[in-house]
Amino acid sequence: MGGDCLPGYGGRMPLTEHPLPANPRDGDDPFWQEVNAAMARARAASGEKDMSRLSREGYERACAALGLVPMSDDECVSPEISGRTHGPPGDGVVATVSKKLASARGWGIIRERRQERAQLRRELERRFPRGMSREQYEEVCAEAGVSPAPDESICRMAADYLAREEFEDLPDLGLFLANFRDMGFRNR
C-alpha cells in the first residue's frame, strides 16, 4: 500500500505499509519497526508522558502528526478497539497504529470516568454523610438520568457493583448509586 489513501484513515499517511511479518511476535521485523517508529512520533506529538492513557487533546495531536482521522470517544471504548490486541495477522501498519492510539484514548477515557466517579462519591458523601434515604436516592438518580432500582434489589445491586469493581474498568452508574443507597440502609 505504500502510504496510499486508506478508507477511514484520513488520506495519505506518513507511514509505509510493510508486508505482515511471518512471525507476528518478531519485534525486529520491518512491520513492527514501522509501528514502533510511528508510535514514537505519536508520543512526541501528543505532548503527554503517559501514552497508555491519552487525553482527547493528546490523542488528536498524535493522530494529526500521523495523518490519521481520530475516532470518536465511543469508538475508542468500543469492544472492537478495547477488546483486542492490535497488529498481525489482520491489521496492517496503518490500522495497527490507528487502533493502538484509539486504545490509548480508550484507557484515557476510563481514567477520566474514574476521576469523575471519585469526585461524585466525594460529593455524595458530603451531601449524604449517613447515606441516602429512598427519596434522596430517587432524586440523585433523576439528576444522573438513571432509573432508580426497587429497594428489594438494592442489596443485590450493591454486591454486584462491588464484585464488578474488582474485575471491570468501571461498573455502570446505576450500580454505583445503588451501592451508595445500600450504605444508607446499613447506617439507619
Side-chain angles (χ1 to χ4, degrees):
M1 287 191 168
D4 289 337
C5 182
L6 293 174
Y9 294 105
R12 294 189 63 81
M13 197 173 144
L15 297 176
T16 303
E17 284 291 352
H18 293 278
L20 297 178
N23 176 358
R25 300 186 198 292
D26 181 5
D28 292 329
D29 189 274
F31 176 92
W32 287 114
Q33 290 176 352
E34 181 71 19
V35 168
N36 292 336
M39 292 301 291
R41 290 193 306 270
R43 180 178 297 109
S46 76
E48 295 190 21
K49 293 178 184 176
D50 186 359
M51 276 296 285
S52 66
R53 297 177 177 172
L54 289 172
S55 68
R56 183 74 202 173
E57 297 78 21
Y59 171 61
E60 288 178 357
R61 285 190 300 266
C63 287
L66 299 176
L68 294 168
V69 174
M71 294 183 196
S72 70
D73 281 353
D74 286 342
E75 291 171 307
C76 291
V77 295
S78 71
E80 178 185 329
I81 299 300
S82 64
R84 60 185 286 254
T85 303
H86 308 293
D91 293 334
V93 171
V94 174
T96 298
V97 171
S98 178
K99 290 176 181 178
K100 281 182 171 289
L101 289 173
S103 179
R105 174 62 193 136
W107 283 107
I109 292 166
I110 290 169
R111 179 185 62 207
E112 291 163 7
R113 288 179 182 168
R114 283 182 178 153
Q115 290 169 341
E116 290 168 1
R117 188 68 58 86
Q119 185 175 341
L120 177 59
R121 179 173 292 282
R122 288 189 298 275
E123 176 63 20
L124 290 174
E125 288 170 347
R126 185 193 61 75
R127 283 175 62 189
F128 310 107
R130 296 179 175 250
M132 287 187 258
S133 68
R134 177 69 195 184
E135 183 179 313
Q136 291 166 329
Y137 169 65
E138 289 176 359
E139 181 182 310
V140 169
C141 285
E143 290 170 10
V146 174
S147 296
D151 275 346
E152 56 272 7
S153 300
I154 294 289
C155 289
R156 179 185 48 77
M157 291 176 71
D160 190 27
Y161 172 80
L162 293 173
R164 287 179 182 215
E165 193 174 40
E166 289 293 317
F167 301 104
E168 290 183 11
D169 297 320
L170 198 66
D172 86 5
L173 186 58
L175 291 176
F176 171 80
L177 292 174
N179 178 56
F180 202 85
R181 168 74 176 122
D182 182 57
M183 290 188 300
F185 281 147
R186 292 186 208 158
N187 293 329
R188 291 187 185 252

